[in-house]
Amino acid sequence: MTVTTRFAPSPTGSLHVGNVRTAIHNWMWARKHGGRFLLRIDDTDLERSKEEHVGAIRADLAWLGLDIDGEERQSARFALYEAEFGKLKAAGRVYACYETPEELDIRRKVLLSRGLPPVYERKPADAPGPEGVTPHWRFRLDHDAPIEWTDMVRGPQHFEPRNMSDPVVRRADGSWLYLLPSVIDDIAMGITHVVRGEDHVSNTAAQIQMFGALGAPPPQFAHEALLVGTEGKLSKRLGSLGMASLRAEGIEPIALVALLARLGTSDPVEPVTSPAPLIESIDFARFGRAPARFDEGELALLNQKILHHTDHAAVASRLPAAITAARWNAIRPNLMTVAEAADWVAVFDGPFAPPAPDDADRPVLAAAAAAAPGIDWTADPWHALTAAAKEATGAKGRALFLPLRRALTGRDHGPDMAELLPLIAKDQAVARLAAN
Ligand code: GLU
């Protein structure tokens, strides 16, 4: 059986790091097993679902490199849901309910006040509904069939259906709640593994009986612990932290994938430049039960580490033409983002006005300026330049290197000058040294 997973967002908003993490794990699992990864747009709520969000979800997955093997849409599948619903109705597994929300609320409070679990109480099977009221529909749980599964993250799970309310599957206006269409689709699409957040565990218990009622074996389930912010809960910022803002901050998609793939697992977060090693190693048994902590500072740092060994070819399309492979290799250890590379174009090719030097540094600069025109720029110009300035002035160490670095790059820190200087046009370097 081909491993088939699905990412099933409701297009009522844009993706945030929490649901992107679920998408990544579903994708990785499918890729590890040479299987299929589907995007299922859960848009049964026609009012709240928006086309612009569907477009943004596709764009975010593409940006992250999570290629899909197919896209499905629940709003195009109502006829199938109707047919399956008809079968369940005929079999007595869904039934009409007439209570108003107020009645249900009072009933719940009565039960709680008696110290009883607030479980929905079924009416006798043939109780007729009140005249002229359109019913909503519940799925009839089989009280004699305890619900059990071995969760790939949580291990053995056990639910007593007697302690659960029969879930509402369809509203009085005919619209669908999430539970049943999802099961119908998981069967129809051959989903073998459902990977989602642990907030769905009790849904899974009810859905397992729905699979049975529809005559299909349930898929395997992996319920991952939720993602929380550094403050310990899913903060407002984290809940709304979308791909667009991360992209604008210069976060590389692979950095986000690398972090979210491993966060909350016993595998270390590593600065990979390709998802291959992450895919290779994914194992739900190594996912922890405690909430996974997402730290934006950790993401920025990982982004930086990844850039340090990212090849020029991987980023060339986003770099100014002046940033050649050699120049990229020289500056990448000092970059926080790819966009910062553009700041180096002026350092390499000008226009560039060196900062006014300290008086104490003038002799070193003057000596370097005198020597520079005669230096062979294709050999090791930095070595030749510093040797000449040292010999002329006696300066060494920081007093020798820092004024030269400042005059040549405008910065106190940066790439290895021996690597950088041959990449700065010679006439530019000579002019900068002579500018004071
Ligand atoms: N649309 C559901 C959600 O976003 C899908 C849950 C699932 O993966 O089954 O919560």
Side-chain angles (χ1 to χ4, degrees):
M1 200 157 40
T2 311
V3 165
T4 306
T5 63
R6 86 291 195 281
F7 174 49
S10 303
T12 54
S14 39
L15 300 181
H16 55 75
V17 287
N19 39 36
V20 160
R21 173 169 167 256
T22 307
I24 289 170
H25 291 149
N26 274 291
W27 175 78
M28 287 167 66
W29 191 254
R31 293 292 166 262
K32 174 172 177 158
H33 297 282
R36 307 178 69 227
F37 170 64
L38 306 179
L39 170 61
R40 190 184 81 198
I41 302 294
D42 279 4
D43 58 349
T44 55
D45 184 340
L46 297 174
E47 217 146 276
R48 291 178 59 228
S49 298
K50 296 272 177 304
E51 204 49 38
E52 67 195 79
H53 297 311
V54 176
I57 288 167
R58 286 192 201 113
D60 285 345
L61 293 184
W63 178 68
L64 287 161
L66 310 186
D67 57 317
I68 58 174
D69 300 303
E71 180 182 316
E72 302 284 355
R73 243 177 205 246
Q74 291 199 317
S75 59
R77 305 171 58 80
F78 289 148
L80 175 65
Y81 306 154
E82 197 68 61
E84 297 300 292
F85 179 79
K87 288 183 205 162
L88 292 176
K89 202 158 102 182
R93 291 306 296 269
V94 294
Y95 61 96
C97 300
Y98 296 88
E99 298 92 342
T100 62
E102 294 74 25
E103 282 171 280
L104 290 171
D105 195 44
I106 293 171
R107 202 53 214 147
R108 208 166 22 236
K109 284 182 180 143
V110 169
L111 289 171
L112 284 170
S113 72
R114 290 193 202 144
L116 296 168
V119 173
Y120 174 75
E121 296 161 296
R122 292 174 186 158
K123 302 281 179 303
D126 48 3
E131 202 65 28
V133 178
T134 334
H136 58 278
W137 300 83
R138 287 187 190 256
F139 176 77
R140 186 186 301 278
L141 292 168
D142 179 353
H143 285 181
D144 297 322
I147 300 164
E148 277 165 354
W149 79 92
T150 302
D151 196 278
M152 289 190 289
V153 175
R154 299 164 63 85
Q157 303 291 299
H158 178 100
F159 281 76
E160 268 313 320
R162 231 170 265 281
N163 300 334
M164 297 163 58
S165 296
D166 286 342
V168 177
V169 291
R170 196 170 191 184
R171 299 185 190 88
D173 66 3
S175 64
W176 301 98
L177 281 102
Y178 144 81
L179 284 178
L180 184 59
S182 181
V183 171
I184 294 170
D185 285 344
D186 286 341
I187 296 170
M189 295 166 196
I191 302 300
T192 58
H193 297 79
V194 169
V195 181
R196 57 189 179 188
E198 67 179 11
D199 50 331
H200 281 289
V201 169
S202 54
N203 286 339
T204 297
Q207 287 181 319
I208 281 183
Q209 284 211 350
M210 293 179 188
F211 280 99
L214 292 167
Q220 302 255 66
F221 290 94
H223 290 94
E224 47 190 30
L226 298 184
L227 195 65
V228 296
T230 40
E231 319 81 22
K233 53 179 187 296
L234 187 79
S235 61
K236 226 174 167 186
R237 166 145 177 87
L238 193 54
S240 64
L241 189 59
M243 301 307 103
S245 59
L246 291 172
R247 188 167 26 204
E249 284 165 24
I251 297 297
E252 297 297 311
I254 186 63
L256 193 63
V257 170
L259 182 63
L260 292 176
R262 293 277 179 87
L263 214 57
T265 76
S266 54
D267 291 322
V269 172
E270 290 169 320
V272 295
T273 52
S274 131
L278 306 172
I279 291 169
E280 178 69 26
S281 64
I282 184 174
D283 178 357
F284 290 110
R286 291 209 291 272
F287 279 45
R289 295 286 301 271
R293 270 171 206 279
F294 178 83
D295 180 346
E296 277 182 78
E298 187 182 0
L299 177 60
L301 211 61
L302 182 66
N303 196 58
Q304 200 179 340
K305 279 194 198 153
I306 288 175
L307 286 184
H308 297 179
H309 50 120
T310 293
D311 288 339
H312 181 258
V315 285
S317 64
R318 291 187 286 146
L319 293 175
I323 303 296
T324 58
R327 287 173 168 184
W328 169 255
N329 290 346
I331 63 175
R332 66 184 176 180
N334 292 86
L335 299 178
M336 303 269 292
T337 65
V338 171
E340 280 178 5
D343 302 344
W344 287 88
V345 173
V347 174
F348 288 119
D349 296 330
F352 176 91
D358 295 343
D359 283 342
D361 294 336
R362 288 184 194 279
V364 165
L365 294 174
I375 287 174
D376 175 3
W377 226 247
T378 61
D380 181 358
W382 177 247
H383 188 246
L385 193 69
T386 50
K390 183 177 178 181
E391 189 174 307
T393 63
K396 51 185 188 231
R398 191 179 155 83
L400 173 65
F401 302 127
L402 188 58
L404 294 173
R405 176 186 283 284
R406 270 191 193 142
L408 290 163
T409 71
R411 303 167 193 233
D412 284 4
H413 306 281
D416 177 9
M417 287 301 295
E419 197 179 342
L420 196 67
L421 191 56
L423 303 169
I424 297 177
K426 181 176 179 181
D427 58 335
Q428 285 284 328
V430 171
R432 289 171 204 179
L433 294 169
N436 58 93

